[in-house]
Amino acid sequence: MKIIKESIRKNSNAFIQGYLRPADVETNNFKHPAIIILPGGSYNHIPMVQAESIALNYSAKGYQSFFVRYTFEQEARPLLPNPLVELANAIKMIRKNARKWNIDPNKIVISGFSIGGHITSLYNDFYDSKWLMDKVDVSDAKILKPNAVILNYPVTDLTLGFPGDKETIDNWVSDQKELAAEEHVTDTNAPTFIWHTADDPFVPVNNSLKYSMSLNQHNIDNELHIFHHGPHGMALANSVTAWNEDSNNPHVAKWFDLSNDWLKQIL
């Protein structure tokens, strides 16, 4: 395995870190699907060890895996749309280097956790918007389009319980369109897998429910799983990423296999 690290926006700390599998000569597989992880962290940090653990689990499933260290709130005000631009640059870079990195350019997945789900859900809405395409110097939206999206206990709407105070929101956004992802779903959104716990005490489950309902209204393929119990930030929901006893939950951990089964059908 080769580990790479590349800058994804000039004059910023944003980067993408990748875990690249070699071409498999025995199976004649020279093109792997790719997945890009957008970790959580309330826009002020990312849990690096957790992000790497998730990426390596997807690597074990045959993916070229990446995670994004996007710009934090203390580095830019207003924060958005910087992380969206960085994700767009990451996808553009991966498609440009698809042959070199043994990637199938038609099988690129983005997966956002918690506040990373805010970036990911908005990106799913806006990847083909002229304003974003102009910022990353792309004329063909196909270069930026994700082939599938995974949202893991996501923040999708900043007015649905997180962050909960106007001052923080004002630090993050200057444009109302960046508040609520469910209001900007279009007929061109990518197929989306979503999971959440019903009693998440930090990011209310309504974030996932409203986004799924909006996808349905636009006839976008989506799959939604609501697990009856679990704290926020469960990640893989197993012993590898558990931060307390309650976040090691074999029932919730089934989301990972469910998402992989779904991806096999979508991709």
Side-chain angles (χ1 to χ4, degrees):
M1 178 181 292
K2 180 180 180 181
I3 300 176
I4 62 169
K5 182 177 177 180
E6 300 285 345
S7 172
I8 48 175
R9 191 168 63 84
K10 290 181 179 179
N11 303 316
S12 80
N13 294 318
F15 64 81
I16 188 169
Q17 184 156 312
Y19 303 84
L20 302 181
R21 303 162 58 90
D24 192 334
V25 178
E26 292 183 2
T27 63
N28 201 33
N29 185 2
F30 293 89
K31 289 185 178 181
H32 300 288
I35 188 164
I36 307 168
I37 308 298
L38 281 296
S42 299
Y43 278 143
N44 58 44
H45 75 288
I46 63 168
M48 297 283 286
V49 174
Q50 182 188 96
E52 182 172 58
S53 296
I54 296 167
L56 290 174
N57 268 260
Y58 276 106
S59 176
K61 292 290 186 179
Y63 287 81
Q64 303 292 47
S65 299
F66 303 82
F67 72 81
V68 171
R69 190 288 198 194
Y70 45 82
T71 295
F72 303 149
E73 65 175 350
Q74 59 268 33
E75 297 170 334
R77 293 191 180 183
L79 173 64
L80 293 169
N82 290 310
L84 297 181
V85 173
E86 290 151 9
L87 177 54
N89 280 332
I91 293 178
K92 178 183 176 182
M93 179 183 293
I94 288 171
R95 282 208 163 96
K96 180 180 179 181
N97 291 282
R99 181 183 293 273
K100 176 182 175 182
W101 292 345
N102 299 310
I103 289 171
D104 186 335
N106 297 312
K107 294 182 178 181
I108 296 177
V109 183
I110 56 176
S111 179
F113 291 75
S114 190
I115 205 66
H118 190 231
I119 302 167
T120 305
S121 58
L122 285 173
Y123 186 86
N124 196 14
D125 299 345
F126 291 133
Y127 73 87
D128 55 355
S129 298
K130 187 178 186 303
W131 68 265
L132 183 56
M133 294 170 64
D134 286 348
K135 281 185 176 294
V136 297
D137 193 25
V138 164
S139 58
D140 184 354
K142 292 179 182 178
I143 295 172
L144 302 182
K145 183 175 183 176
N147 300 105
V149 173
I150 300 176
L151 298 176
N152 314 267
Y153 43 88
V155 177
T156 62
D157 185 331
L158 300 180
T159 69
L160 292 179
F162 180 85
D165 65 280
K166 186 177 183 302
E167 182 179 355
T168 298
I169 293 173
D170 288 344
N171 288 338
W172 292 353
V173 302
S174 61
D175 191 331
Q176 284 293 111
K177 73 182 181 181
E178 293 162 344
L179 288 176
E182 77 273 4
E183 295 180 4
H184 304 286
V185 172
T186 73
D187 293 343
T188 61
N189 278 54
T192 304
F193 180 99
I194 310 170
W195 73 274
H196 218 120
T197 56
D199 59 349
D200 187 319
F202 199 63
V203 175
V205 68
N206 208 25
N207 282 267
S208 288
L209 294 172
K210 291 190 73 171
Y211 195 70
S212 177
M213 289 175 63
S214 188
L215 291 170
N216 285 330
Q217 290 169 3
H218 287 269
N219 298 311
I220 302 298
D221 187 311
N222 74 102
E223 182 166 323
L224 172 66
H225 294 267
I226 306 298
F227 297 94
H228 82 101
H229 170 69
H232 187 71
M234 298 181 79
L236 295 170
N238 61 17
S239 60
V240 174
T241 59
W243 52 272
N244 66 7
E245 184 176 346
D246 207 19
S247 58
N248 182 5
N249 185 318
H251 179 61
V252 178
K254 292 175 182 176
W255 79 263
F256 186 74
D257 287 335
L258 288 168
S259 72
N260 275 279
D261 290 343
W262 176 81
L263 284 171
K264 289 176 184 177
Q265 296 179 41
I266 297 298
L267 300 179

